[in-house]
Amino acid sequence: EEKIAVYNTYVYDIKGVWSGCVFTDDVLTDGKPNIFYTGVDYAKASINQAEPVSDDLISWAKVGRNPIISNRPAGLSDDFRDPYVFKSNGNFYMIVGTSKNGLGAATLHKYNPTTKTWSNDGRIFYQSISTGYGTFWEMPAIVPMPDDKWLFLITTLGGNQGVETLYWVGTINNDGTFSPYSAIPKEVELGVFGSNGYGLLSPSVMQKDGITIAIGIVPDKLPASNNMQLGWAHLYSLPREWTLDANNNLLQQPFVATQKMRVTTSAFSCSNQDISGTLTLAPVSGKTVEIDGTFIVSSAQRFGFHVRKNGSSFISIYYTPFTNRFTVDAQNEKRLVNDANSFSGLYQSILPKQPNPGETLRMHIFIDHSIMDIFINNQYAGIIILADSEQD
């Protein structure tokens, strides 16, 4: 565990050093990764910058011109945070999460290479058309994708499904603003799996060797006493590979490098087999398991897996063709309950596209003690925090 990279030391960030991004460019940051972050005093938020002291990226120094944006633009809510820097048409821009007139929004700031300053005139990069998509947006990100498309991501506060991660696909205009192909956003997590602050939130995205890789925060929502008992609080998702289909839907699958974590000393394999009732996965056991199963869909019978079985306690993961419903049922699991009154152990979502009888459905599941990352047909993804059992 390394030391803290950037912490509160000056008047402008004395209350806290909050989220932002890392950006690297030969012109803007002299070829070195720089941190752009939210600094908070006891009156307002500002945007600030830090640069590495050495190539190992362990020690960082705040730039002398901080704050690079001293306060929120006029006409916006007091909540103004989470800068994200991008480059388009040879210009550098920054977007920051905020709210305007009660609707979630992201401001737009343009860099002037001559004066080395950022604009702060209140221009809006993009704004929600409905309170259902959030009354405030945090952690905005804008990512270039193939075919001159851009993927815009935000985490909502106050939307129809509470805190969740939404996305739009569109283009960047000549003035740096965003034009989505549709004003109606889509969910990163499968259906309700990501609602009310569960599932993957505030994704961090990087692109390497032509692959778009995302990893997100997964809150555990346990009281502090349980965090002390377990020895951890919150965690990150498994890294995902993101692509877009022809209809601009986000396709998600496990990052290919996760295969390097596989251990095959205790493995089970089965193919081309009709299963009636249940089939044991022995010798596979324990709480760090990868399951990759492809089923031929029938007209009615549900299918899937029982995992973490301990006597009469287990979790069921299954798909029901008749209702087109994907379910994770942890109601029977002995655990520290973290989702009472939201899910209470029962997670169910309708698949956006129903497979026909005779087609296949693939469940790719990663279980690591308290977290379960689920990928369906390399299209949909969802995360369940099990708030691990008291026996762990």
Side-chain angles (χ1 to χ4, degrees):
E1 181 174 345
E2 302 293 352
K3 66 180 183 180
I4 296 173
V6 183
Y7 54 94
N8 46 331
T9 54
Y10 291 97
V11 172
Y12 57 78
D13 62 10
I14 193 62
K15 187 180 178 182
V17 170
W18 292 358
S19 293
C21 72
V22 174
F23 186 80
T24 308
D25 182 85
D26 289 341
V27 174
L28 184 63
T29 66
D30 196 25
K32 300 177 181 179
N34 275 212
I35 296 173
F36 295 82
Y37 71 94
T38 309
V40 185
D41 61 20
Y42 286 95
K44 66 182 186 307
S46 61
I47 307 302
N48 304 279
Q49 185 174 346
E51 55 191 7
V53 173
S54 58
D55 290 342
D56 61 10
L57 306 184
I58 301 300
S59 298
W60 296 75
K62 300 172 186 179
V63 299
R65 58 184 178 278
N66 278 344
I68 57 173
I69 299 177
S70 59
N71 53 268
R72 64 173 175 84
L76 303 182
S77 77
D78 288 339
D79 218 347
F80 171 71
R81 51 187 164 89
D82 310 335
Y84 193 93
V85 178
F86 71 101
K87 187 177 183 180
S88 176
N89 296 321
N91 296 309
F92 297 104
Y93 297 98
M94 179 191 298
I95 57 176
V96 183
T98 190
S99 175
K100 184 174 183 178
N101 300 325
L103 295 172
T107 60
L108 180 67
H109 310 265
K110 185 178 181 181
Y111 182 70
N112 185 324
T114 301
T115 61
K116 296 184 178 182
T117 58
W118 295 86
S119 66
N120 192 30
D121 54 15
R123 294 179 63 205
I124 296 297
F125 174 73
Y126 187 67
Q127 182 171 13
S128 175
I129 62 170
S130 167
T131 56
Y133 308 137
T135 56
F136 174 80
W137 287 350
E138 63 180 3
M139 298 300 294
I142 181 72
V143 182
M145 302 295 283
D147 301 321
D148 296 322
K149 297 178 180 179
W150 290 77
L151 175 65
F152 176 49
L153 301 139
I154 55 94
T155 299
T156 65
L157 298 182
N160 285 340
Q161 293 195 159
V163 178
E164 64 173 337
T165 305
L166 300 177
Y167 74 94
W168 293 257
V169 177
T171 58
I172 300 296
N173 302 316
N174 290 334
D175 62 356
T177 58
F178 178 68
S179 290
Y181 297 134
S182 171
I184 300 173
K186 300 173 183 177
E187 296 163 324
V188 169
E189 295 290 87
L190 175 62
V192 300
F193 277 45
S195 62
N196 297 325
Y198 293 86
L200 181 148
L201 300 175
S202 305
S204 296
V205 184
M206 71 169 294
Q207 294 175 309
K208 182 175 175 59
D209 300 330
I211 301 175
T212 299
I213 309 163
I215 191 169
I217 299 169
V218 187
D220 64 73
K221 296 208 170 190
L222 288 172
S225 57
N226 288 150
N227 292 143
M228 288 290 292
Q229 172 189 344
L230 296 172
W232 59 274
H234 318 302
L235 65 166
Y236 280 105
S237 70
L238 199 75
R240 304 176 180 182
E241 285 186 31
W242 280 356
T243 56
L244 297 174
D245 68 11
N247 296 315
N248 300 312
N249 296 308
L250 190 63
L251 304 181
Q252 306 186 73
Q253 65 183 36
F255 177 40
V256 64
T258 58
Q259 296 176 9
K260 297 180 181 179
M261 297 191 299
R262 286 177 179 159
V263 177
T264 58
T265 53
S266 176
F268 170 86
S269 180
C270 171
S271 61
N272 300 320
Q273 183 169 339
D274 292 328
I275 300 174
S276 177
T278 60
L279 178 69
T280 178
L281 300 181
V284 175
S285 63
K287 293 185 176 181
T288 53
V289 178
E290 177 188 2
I291 303 174
D292 190 355
T294 299
F295 300 84
I296 298 176
V297 177
S298 67
S299 59
Q301 295 297 317
R302 79 182 194 183
F303 53 84
F305 299 95
H306 296 315
V307 299
R308 291 175 55 122
K309 193 169 184 179
N310 182 12
S312 60
S313 174
F314 57 88
I315 299 171
S316 294
I317 308 165
Y318 60 89
Y319 174 70
T320 307
F322 179 73
T323 59
N324 189 34
R325 190 181 302 272
F326 188 86
T327 301
V328 177
D329 187 350
Q331 297 176 102
N332 195 32
E333 168 79 345
K334 295 176 182 178
R335 64 193 183 107
L336 299 171
V337 176
N338 68 327
D339 56 2
N341 303 318
S342 285
F343 296 100
S344 299
L346 183 63
Y347 298 76
Q348 295 183 305
S349 263
I350 302 296
L351 294 189
K353 182 181 179 182
Q354 183 170 9
N356 295 316
E359 295 181 340
T360 59
L361 188 138
R362 179 184 181 187
M363 301 180 193
H364 201 170
I365 304 163
F366 296 80
I367 302 172
D368 187 1
H369 290 265
S370 279
I371 191 168
M372 182 184 297
D373 291 79
I374 302 171
F375 300 86
I376 304 171
N377 281 348
N378 280 347
Q379 293 179 287
Y380 320 118
I383 294 175
I384 307 296
I385 279 287
L386 303 172
D388 222 334
S389 65
E390 297 181 37
Q391 288 82 0
D392 277 5

